C-alpha cells in the first residue's frame, strides 16, 4: 500500500483510555473490531456532570480526592515536585546562586560609588573603612530582601499534591466541556517522549518544551497531558499580565512562573531570571516556554522571540548547565476560543488588560460552546548541547576553543546567530509535526476560491484535493477514524459556526460562503506553511500572467522568476519559515513538483536547464484553479507589505521642514492601518485583512532590518519607540507644489511589490490610483509630523545627542551585519 493510501498514516489519537488503565497503540496497530467499538478515543474524555449523573459525578470526585490509581500522581517520571517545602528550597537555591551574589555585590559597589561622589561617605573620615563596610552590608542586605521578594513573586510553587489533583479535575471538567471532543495525541510520540523522560530523569536533565502559542489553552493542555501520562509537570513561563487575584495564585501553584513583559535595565531582575533558569536546569526540572513569545493572532507561527531562549543558551554556553533536552510541540485546534478577540486587536483596538471579572464571565460563556478538539504533537526531542556544538563547528568555532562567556562583540554576534538558528529550527520542527484540522481545510478552501460562495459538492472536491496536497507535502491531516469526508466537513462547519461560514437557503444544493473573512483567515493561515514555496513561485509568475494575452505572452523567463522569488522571499523573511535547502535548490524542486502536478509547464534548453515557465494547458482548461489557490494564499500578505511600504512614503518630510522629526512607531503603524482601511473602502486594496496589525508590524520590523527606516528605543520601558524614514529612501517632491512624486527608490520598491499584487474587478492600477494613494499617504504623514511636534506631545520629536550617537553606531553595526550575512536584501 502506498503512503498516500495508508489511512493510518495521519491517525494521531491511537491512545485508548479505559478506567485507570492507559493502552498505547502505535498508529499501525490494528485491532479486531467488536460491536460498539470506536476507532479511537481522546486522551481527555467528557466527565460526569452532577445534574445528569449525580452518583457518577460524586464517585469521580472521590477518586480524585483519595488519589486512586493514576490520579494520585505519585509515580511520575521526573524530578520530585509537589511536596511541602518545595518553594522554600527553590527560593533559597536561587538567592544563594553565585551569579546572583556577584550581581548583588556589583550593585552594592555602584551604590557606594554614587554615595561617595555625593559626599555621603568621605574617604578622609578616620572611620571610613568601618563605615563603608557597614554601609555595604546594609545595602547588600536591602538588595537581598528585594531579590527574595522578587523571587517569591516569580517562582512556581509545586507544594501540594492535593491541590494539583483537584486542579486537574477542575480544569479537565472545564476544558472538555468547551472542547467536547477532547485532547488528542499520537501514541508513538508519547511512547517516545516517555522513554526520553526516563533517560533525562536518570541523567538529571530537564526537558524544555517549546510549544506553538495560539491560545491560553496551550499551557493548560500541556499540563493536563503531562499529568495524565505520568510526566513531571513543567514550569511554564508566563507573562505577569495573567497574575491577577485568585487566578494568578492558582496558576502559580499549577506551574506558572511569572515574568515581566519587559525587563528594561533592571540588572537585578535579569540576573534573578537567569539564576532561576540555571537552578531549574541544574536540578533537572522540566521547563516550558513559548518560542513565539505571545499568542499568534494570525493563525500561523510568529517569528521566534529570543528572551527566555537567551537565558537557556547562556546556561549551556557558560557551563553552569551541562545539557538539556529540547522538545518542540505543536498544538492545533478545531476552533480557537480567542479568535474573535484577536480580530478586534488586529484591527487596532487596544488589548484589554486581563482581570478576574472578565475571566469568570468569559469562562462561563465558553463552557456552553462546542469547539471540537485539541490536537497536540511532540517532535522528536534533541540534545541542546549537541545542537550547540554542531552549530559552533559550522561557524568555525569548535567547542572548547574559545571562552564564550566573555562579553565581546564577536561573542555577542555568535550568540545571536545561535539563537536565530535555534529559534527557526524549533519553528520548523513544530511545522513538521503540526496536524491540519478540518476547520483549517474548510477555511483555506473558502478563501482560495473565486466567486461569492461554493456548492457542497465543489467544497468537498476541493477539500479532498487539498488533503492530497497536504499529504504530498509531508503534512498531516487530523484523523477521524472511518468517518466519511462529508461527515468530517459537516462537523467542521458546525464547529466554525454561522458567524464564520454561512449557508444560503433555498438553492438547488447547499451553498456556503465566508461570512467573516478576517476571522476565517486565522484558519487558512494554519496551512500556508506547507505551500509557501508554491505560493511565492505563483505570485512571481503573476507578474506576467496578469498582463493577459496568449500562453506565450504570459511565460516568464527563469532569470526573471528567480529574481522575483528572491525578492519576495527576502520581503517575507520574518513572516514565514522557509525550507532550509537554499533558494536555488528549493526553487528547482518547487518548479518540478508544480510541473508534475500539471500546474505549470517548463521549457528547457538543450542542456536540460529551465529557460522559461508558463501555465500548463491542463491548468488553463481547469480555469487556473490550482494556480489561483497558491496565489490566493499569499496575496493578502503581499497586499499588507505593499500597504506598509506605501505608508512609509508619507514619512518623507515636507519641503519646508528643515529639522529631523521622529514620530512614534505605534502612531505610524496606526496611521498605516487607517490608510489601509481607507484604500480598501475606496477600492484600492483588495483584502481587508491587509490592515492586519500583526502583519504591518512585521513589515515595519523588516524595513528596519534593511535600513529603510531607523528606529530608536528609549531606555525607559514606558517611553514609546520612535522612527524616521532613512534619507536614502525618501521620496522626491515637486519643488513648486511640494507634492510627493511617484518616483525614486521607495516608489520603485513599492512598485516591485505591486507587480505581484492581485488585480481584479475591485482594483485597477494606473496613474489616477497612484496620484490618489500618494496624496492620501502624504496627508496622513503630515498629520503624524504635526502630532509629533505639538506642544502637548509627551514624546520628544528630536533625538538627544546620546540617542543620535547610539543610532549612528547601531546603523554602522547593522550595515556590517548585513554585509557579513551575505543574504539577499530588499
Amino acid at each position: 500500500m502506498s503512503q498516500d493510501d495508508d489511512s493510518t498514516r495521519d491517525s494521531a489519537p491511537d491512545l485508548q483510555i479505559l478506567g485507570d488503565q492507559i493502552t498505547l497503540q502505535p498508529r499501525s496497530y490494528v485491532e479486531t473490531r467488536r460491536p460498539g467499538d470506536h476507532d479511537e478515543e481522546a486522551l481527555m474524555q467528557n466527565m460526569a456532570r452532577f445534574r445528569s449523573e449525580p452518583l457518577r459525578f460524586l464517585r469521580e470526585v472521590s477518586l480524585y480526592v483519595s488519589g486512586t490509581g493514576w490520579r494520585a500522581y505519585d509515580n511520575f517520571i521526573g524530578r520530585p515536585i509537589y511536596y511541602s517545602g518545595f518553594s522554600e528550597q527553590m527560593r533559597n537555591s536561587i538567592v544563594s546562586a553565585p551569579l546572583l551574589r556577584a550581581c548583588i555585590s556589583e550593585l552594592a559597589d555602584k551604590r557606594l560609588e554614587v554615595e561617595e561622589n555625593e559626599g555621603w561617605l568621605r574617604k578622609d573620615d578616620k572611620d571610613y573603612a568601618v563605615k563603608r563596610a557597614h554601609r555595604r552590608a546594609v545595602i547588600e542586605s536591602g538588595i537581598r530582601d528585594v531579590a527574595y521578594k522578587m523571587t517569591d513573586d516569580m517562582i512556581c510553587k509545586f507544594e501540594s499534591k492535593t491541590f494539583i489533583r483537584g486542579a486537574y479535575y477542575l480544569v479537565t471538567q472545564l476544558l472538555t466541556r468547551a472542547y467536547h471532543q477532547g485532547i488528542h495525541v499520537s501514541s508513538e510520540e508519547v511512547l517516545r517522549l516517555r522513554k526520553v523522560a526516563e533517560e533525562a530523569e536518570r541523567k538529571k536533565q530537564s526537558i524544555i518544551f517549546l510549544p506553538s502559542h495560539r491560545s491560553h489553552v496551550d499551557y493548560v493542555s500541556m499540563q493536563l497531558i503531562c499529568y495524565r501520562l505520568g510526566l513531571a509537570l513543567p514550569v511554564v513561563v508566563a507573562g505577569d499580565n495573567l497574575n491577577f487575584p485568585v487566578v494568578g495564585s492558582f496558576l502559580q501553584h499549577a506551574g506558572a512562573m511569572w515574568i515581566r513583559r519587559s525587563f528594561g535595565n533592571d540588572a537585578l531582575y535579569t540576573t534573578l531570571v537567569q539564576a532561576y533558569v540555571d537552578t531549574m536546569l541544574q536540578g533537572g526540572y522540566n521547563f516550558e516556554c513559548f518560542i513565539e513569545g505571545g499568542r499568534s493572532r494570525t493563525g500561523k507561527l510568529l517569528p521566534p522571540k529570543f528572551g527566555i531562549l537567551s537565558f537557556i543558551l547562556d546556561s549551556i554556553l557558560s557551563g553552569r548547565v551541562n545539557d538539556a533536552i529540547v522538545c518542540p510541540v505543536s498544538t492545533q485546534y478545531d476552533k480557537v476560543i480567542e479568535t474573535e478577540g484577536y480580530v478586534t486587536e488586529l484591527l487596532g483596538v487596544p488589548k484589554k488588560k486581563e482581570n478576574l471579572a472578565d475571566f469568570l464571565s468569559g469562562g462561563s460563556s465558553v463552557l456552553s460552546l462546542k469547539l471540537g478538539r485539541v490536537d497536540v504533537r511532540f517532535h522528536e526531542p534533541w540534545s541542546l548541547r549537541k545542537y550547540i556544538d554542531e552549530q559552533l563547528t559550522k561557524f568555525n568555532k569548535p567547542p572548547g576553543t574559545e571562552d564564550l562567556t566573555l562579553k565581546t562583540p564577536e561573542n555577542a554576534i555568535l550568540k545571536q546567530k545561535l539563537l536565530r538558528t535555534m529559534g527557526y529550527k524549533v519553528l520548523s520542527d513544530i511545522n513538521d509535526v503540526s496536524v491540519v484540522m478540518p476547520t483549517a481545510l474548510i477555511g483555506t478552501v473558502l478563501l482560495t476560491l473565486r466567486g461569492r460562495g461554493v456548492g457542497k459538492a465543489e467544497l468537498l472536491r476541493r477539500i479532498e484535493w487539498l488533503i492530497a496536497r497536504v499529504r504530498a507535502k509531508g503534512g498531516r491531516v487530523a484523523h477521524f477514524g472511518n468517518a466519511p469526508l462529508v461527515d468530517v466537513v459537516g462537523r467542521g462547519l458546525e464547529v466554525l459556526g454561522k458567524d464564520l461560514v454561512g449557508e444560503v437557503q433555498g438553492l438547488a444544493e447547499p451553498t456556503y460562503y465566508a461570512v467573516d473573512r478576517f476571522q476565517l483567515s486565522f484558519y487558512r493561515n494554519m496551512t500556508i506553511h506547507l505551500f509557501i514555496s508554491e505560493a511565492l513561485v505563483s505570485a512571481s509568475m503573476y507578474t506576467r500572467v496578469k498582463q493577459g494575452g496568449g500562453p506565450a505572452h504570459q511565460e516568464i523567463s527563469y532569470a526573471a522568476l528567480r529574481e522575483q522569488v528572491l525578492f519576495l522571499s527576502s520581503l517575507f523573511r520574518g513572516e514565514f519559515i522557509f525550507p532550509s535547502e537554499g533558494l536555488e535548490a528549493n526553487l528547482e524542486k518547487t518548479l518540478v513538483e508544480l510541473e508534475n502536478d500539471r500546474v505549470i509547464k517548463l521549457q528547457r534548453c538543450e542542456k536540460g536547464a529551465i529557460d522559461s515557465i508558463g501555465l500548463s494547458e491542463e491548468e488553463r482548461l481547469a480555469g487556473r484553479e490550482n494556480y489561483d489557490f497558491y496565489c490566493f494564499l499569499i496575496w493578502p500578505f503581499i497586499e499588507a507589505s505593499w500597504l506598509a511600504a506605501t505608508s512609509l512614503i508619507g514619512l518623507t518630510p515636507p519641503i519646508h521642514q528643515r529639522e529631523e522629526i521622529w514620530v512614534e512607531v505605534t502612531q505610524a503603524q496606526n496611521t498605516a492601518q487607517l490608510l489601509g482601511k481607507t484604500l480598501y473602502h475606496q477600492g484600492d486594496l483588495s483584502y481587508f485583512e491587509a490592515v492586519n496589525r500583526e502583519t504591518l508590524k512585521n513589515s515595519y520590523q523588516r524595513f528596519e532590518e534593511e535600513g529603510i527606516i531607523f528606529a530608536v528605543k528609549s531606555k525607559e520601558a514606558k517611553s514609546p519607540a520612535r522612527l524616521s524614514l532613512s534619507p536614502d529612501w525618501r521620496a522626491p517632491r515637486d519643488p513648486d507644489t511640494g507634492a510627493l512624486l511617484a518616483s525614486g527608490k521607495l516608489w520603485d520598491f513599492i512598485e516591485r511589490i505591486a507587480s505581484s499584487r492581485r488585480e481584479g474587478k475591485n482594483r485597477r492600477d494606473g496613474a489616477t490610483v497612484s496620484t490618489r494613494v500618494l496624496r492620501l499617504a502624504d496627508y496622513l504623514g503630515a498629520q503624524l509630523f504635526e502630532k509629533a511636534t505639538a506642544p502637548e506631545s509627551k514624546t520628544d520629536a528630536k533625538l538627544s545627542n546620546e540617542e543620535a550617537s547610539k543610532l549612528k553606531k547601531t546603523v554602522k553595526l547593522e550595515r556590517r551585519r548585513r554585509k557579513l550575512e551575505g543574504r539577499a536584501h530588499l
Side-chain angles (χ1 to χ4, degrees):
M1 182 168 61
S2 71
Q3 198 179 46
D4 284 350
D5 295 330
D6 183 4
S7 63
T8 67
R9 189 173 78 88
D10 297 302
S11 69
D14 303 329
L15 190 150
Q16 190 175 40
I17 301 173
L18 295 173
D20 290 345
Q21 301 298 315
I22 288 184
T23 305
L24 293 167
Q25 301 171 345
R27 285 197 299 250
S28 56
Y29 181 87
V30 180
E31 186 178 31
T32 304
R33 290 179 61 85
R34 295 187 295 272
D37 277 358
H38 297 284
D39 289 315
E40 57 189 45
E41 291 193 37
L43 180 63
M44 304 292 165
Q45 294 179 305
N46 285 306
M47 294 175 147
R49 302 188 183 185
F50 181 77
R51 280 183 290 183
S52 57
E53 300 174 284
L55 293 178
R56 187 179 160 213
F57 172 84
L58 292 172
R59 179 179 177 275
E60 281 185 358
V61 172
S62 69
L63 289 174
Y64 279 92
V65 171
S66 61
T68 303
W70 57 267
R71 300 170 185 83
Y73 198 58
D74 286 332
N75 300 314
F76 56 82
I77 304 168
R79 301 289 295 163
I81 53 176
Y82 283 109
Y83 59 84
S84 181
F86 174 86
S87 303
E88 186 63 30
Q89 178 186 326
M90 185 63 69
R91 249 190 318 263
N92 292 337
S93 298
I94 295 167
V95 175
S96 62
L99 194 70
L100 185 60
R101 290 206 307 268
C103 176
I104 290 172
S105 178
E106 186 180 339
L107 290 172
D109 285 338
K110 287 181 179 179
R111 181 59 199 170
L112 283 171
E113 186 180 341
V114 170
E115 292 185 1
E116 285 175 355
N117 291 336
E118 293 181 353
W120 292 90
L121 284 171
R122 300 176 62 86
K123 292 184 179 180
D124 55 358
D125 194 320
K126 63 177 183 178
D127 297 327
Y128 168 73
V130 175
K131 287 181 179 179
R132 192 178 191 282
H134 177 264
R135 181 60 185 153
R136 182 190 183 84
V138 170
I139 293 171
E140 287 189 348
S141 176
I143 296 174
R144 271 194 298 271
D145 289 343
V146 172
Y148 192 88
K149 174 68 168 59
M150 283 181 173
T151 304
D152 188 62
D153 292 341
M154 181 196 304
I155 64 171
C156 84
K157 298 176 178 178
F158 287 142
E159 288 284 335
S160 168
K161 210 161 264 187
T162 303
F163 166 82
I164 198 60
R165 290 172 190 160
Y168 175 87
Y169 178 76
L170 172 65
V171 173
T172 305
Q173 278 273 7
L174 298 175
L175 191 68
T176 53
R177 290 190 186 194
Y179 288 97
H180 61 296
Q181 293 169 11
I183 298 175
H184 293 239
V185 296
S186 161
S187 62
E188 288 178 308
E189 293 170 4
V190 166
L191 281 169
R192 181 177 63 202
L193 180 61
R194 284 176 64 90
K195 287 180 181 177
V196 169
E198 288 168 355
E199 183 69 10
E201 181 185 28
R202 188 179 65 79
K203 293 181 177 179
K204 200 179 174 181
Q205 290 177 350
S206 302
I207 298 177
I208 302 171
F209 294 102
L210 298 175
S212 55
H213 198 17
R214 290 189 175 93
S215 168
H216 285 311
V217 176
D218 294 335
Y219 32 78
V220 174
S221 60
M222 270 297 299
Q223 299 296 81
L224 291 180
I225 289 170
C226 288
Y227 187 101
R228 185 63 185 89
L229 297 177
L231 302 175
L233 299 187
V235 174
V236 185
V237 179
D240 59 4
N241 57 306
L242 292 174
N243 189 12
F244 50 88
V246 182
V247 173
S249 177
F250 178 89
L251 294 176
Q252 197 170 19
H253 284 81
M257 66 167 278
W258 302 118
I259 61 166
R260 300 173 187 168
R261 307 298 284 183
S262 174
F263 291 9
N265 291 323
D266 194 332
L268 178 63
Y269 189 79
T270 303
T271 307
L272 261 177
V273 174
Q274 183 67 68
Y276 188 19
V277 171
D278 285 352
T279 303
M280 285 189 289
L281 299 185
Q282 287 164 357
Y285 296 102
N286 290 345
F287 188 62
E288 177 186 344
C289 69
F290 296 102
I291 185 73
E292 302 162 272
R295 289 169 292 163
S296 170
R297 269 77 172 164
T298 61
K300 66 179 185 60
L301 290 179
L302 300 176
K305 297 294 188 294
F306 303 124
I308 294 296
L309 276 189
S310 68
F311 290 109
I312 295 170
L313 189 64
D314 195 65
S315 297
I316 301 290
L317 289 177
S318 65
R320 295 190 298 271
V321 175
N322 182 48
D323 197 7
I325 307 300
V326 175
C327 182
V329 182
S330 167
T331 308
Q332 301 289 337
Y333 299 85
D334 266 330
K335 192 171 186 180
V336 173
I337 293 174
E338 301 100 323
T339 47
E340 195 172 331
Y342 290 166
V343 170
T344 59
E345 287 180 37
L346 292 174
L347 287 174
V349 178
K351 180 186 172 186
K352 191 175 180 182
K353 189 176 180 181
E354 286 83 358
N355 60 74
L356 183 59
D358 286 349
F359 177 81
L360 293 175
S361 60
S364 61
S365 62
V366 163
L367 296 182
S368 60
L369 299 176
K370 299 293 184 184
L371 301 175
R373 80 187 203 189
V374 183
D375 268 80
V376 180
R377 292 291 176 272
F378 299 93
H379 191 275
E380 184 175 0
W382 38 273
S383 161
L384 181 54
R385 166 65 68 185
K386 183 180 177 183
Y387 176 77
I388 290 172
D389 289 349
E390 287 172 352
Q391 294 303 309
L392 288 175
T393 303
K394 281 184 183 178
F395 299 152
N396 295 319
K397 303 276 186 181
T401 58
E402 295 188 31
D403 185 357
L404 298 177
T405 61
L406 296 176
K407 292 186 177 180
T408 63
E410 291 75 20
N411 279 351
I413 292 171
L414 180 62
K415 185 178 178 182
Q416 199 61 34
K417 275 187 177 180
L418 283 170
L419 282 171
R420 184 173 292 277
T421 55
M422 178 183 167
Y424 280 99
K425 172 180 168 49
V426 171
L427 292 181
S428 180
D429 287 350
I430 290 171
N431 274 338
D432 285 346
V433 295
S434 292
V435 172
V436 178
M437 308 299 284
T439 48
L441 296 170
I442 294 168
T444 301
V445 168
L446 284 174
L447 294 183
T448 53
L449 289 174
R450 296 184 183 272
R452 294 189 184 90
V454 59
K456 189 173 184 178
E458 178 67 3
L459 177 65
L460 290 171
R461 184 183 74 83
R462 291 304 293 171
I463 287 177
E464 200 164 17
W465 173 85
L466 181 55
I467 289 172
R469 294 307 308 140
V470 168
R471 287 178 170 164
K473 294 290 292 181
R476 305 177 179 189
V477 179
H479 183 49
F480 282 81
N482 290 328
L485 182 62
V486 64
D487 290 352
V488 175
V489 172
R491 192 183 306 175
L493 288 168
E494 186 181 332
V495 168
L496 286 171
K498 294 179 180 179
D499 291 339
L500 267 70
V501 180
E503 180 181 351
V504 184
Q505 303 294 328
L507 301 183
E509 71 167 324
T511 301
Y512 303 98
Y513 64 98
V515 176
D516 188 340
R517 300 182 75 88
F518 204 119
Q519 194 174 161
L520 205 58
S521 69
F522 184 93
Y523 300 94
R524 178 208 60 208
N525 289 344
M526 291 180 177
T527 64
I528 194 170
H529 66 278
L530 292 164
F531 308 110
I532 188 59
S533 297
E534 289 83 352
L536 292 180
V537 166
S538 299
S540 298
M541 288 178 62
Y542 191 67
T543 59
R544 294 302 301 268
V545 171
K546 72 194 295 187
Q547 294 177 15
H553 187 69
Q554 293 183 14
E555 285 185 2
I556 184 172
S557 69
Y558 180 81
L561 177 75
R562 182 187 180 280
E563 192 177 344
Q564 185 69 2
V565 169
L566 180 64
F567 172 75
L568 292 176
S569 299
S570 182
L571 183 68
F572 294 124
R573 188 182 297 163
E575 194 71 58
F576 301 108
I577 316 302
F578 295 103
S580 57
E581 296 98 330
L583 175 71
E584 211 70 53
N586 185 53
L587 177 57
E588 184 102 13
K589 178 183 173 186
T590 303
L591 290 174
V592 170
E593 287 176 353
L594 286 170
E595 183 182 39
N596 291 338
D597 292 337
R598 303 185 179 221
V599 176
I600 63 173
K601 183 180 179 181
L602 303 178
Q603 300 289 348
R604 298 177 182 272
C605 67
E606 294 177 357
K607 295 180 179 179
I610 300 172
D611 266 347
S612 63
I613 302 96
L615 291 175
S616 69
E617 188 61 29
E618 293 93 333
E619 186 63 18
R620 291 181 183 280
L621 291 173
R624 271 178 27 187
E625 62 177 4
N626 296 337
Y627 170 78
D628 282 353
F629 168 82
Y630 297 123
C631 287
F632 274 111
L633 283 178
I634 196 69
W635 271 336
F637 294 93
I638 292 174
E639 285 271 87
S641 292
W642 176 87
L643 172 61
T646 302
S647 70
L648 293 185
I649 211 164
L651 296 177
T652 300
I655 287 180
H656 63 271
Q657 185 176 296
R658 299 290 177 233
E659 295 181 324
E660 193 76 24
I661 302 299
W662 292 72
V663 300
E664 289 185 25
V665 172
T666 305
Q667 287 186 1
Q669 291 172 357
N670 289 343
T671 298
Q673 274 201 308
L674 180 59
L675 174 65
K677 290 174 184 177
T678 307
L679 292 177
Y680 174 78
H681 288 290
Q682 291 181 355
D684 295 321
L685 201 67
S686 298
Y687 294 94
F688 190 59
E689 65 181 276
V691 305
N692 179 324
R693 189 179 191 83
E694 198 69 43
T695 310
L696 288 174
K697 190 176 175 182
N698 288 343
S699 295
Y700 268 68
Q701 178 65 38
R702 189 73 191 89
F703 299 155
E704 183 186 347
E705 290 172 2
E706 291 297 322
I708 299 174
I709 56 176
F710 299 141
V712 173
K713 298 171 181 67
S714 174
K715 289 182 179 179
E716 300 297 324
K718 292 184 179 179
S719 297
R722 291 163 291 162
L723 64 79
S724 176
L725 183 61
S726 167
D728 295 340
W729 287 81
R730 290 173 186 174
R733 289 184 178 273
D734 186 299
D736 298 323
T737 64
L740 287 170
L741 301 176
S743 61
K745 192 175 181 179
L746 182 55
W747 183 254
D748 292 343
F749 175 64
I750 292 168
E751 287 289 275
R752 183 81 181 272
I753 300 172
S755 66
S756 286
R757 285 178 76 202
R758 177 190 180 188
E759 280 196 342
K761 62 181 180 180
N762 296 327
R763 190 185 64 76
R764 288 281 186 269
D765 286 330
T768 306
V769 173
S770 63
T771 304
R772 186 166 63 247
V773 170
L774 281 174
R775 180 188 57 77
L776 189 57
D778 195 17
Y779 169 72
L780 293 173
Q783 288 186 331
L784 274 176
F785 287 125
E786 191 178 330
K787 283 180 186 176
T789 54
E792 62 271 16
S793 175
K794 295 179 181 178
T795 308
D796 197 342
K798 300 176 185 176
L799 296 186
S800 66
N801 291 335
E802 183 185 353
E803 287 173 330
S805 176
K806 186 178 178 182
L807 175 66
K808 191 175 180 181
K809 290 178 182 176
T810 303
V811 170
K812 190 176 179 181
L813 284 171
E814 281 299 305
R815 283 176 179 163
R816 183 186 171 198
R817 176 188 63 79
R818 290 196 296 270
K819 190 175 180 181
L820 287 172
E821 279 182 347
R823 297 164 78 180
H825 299 289
L826 300 175

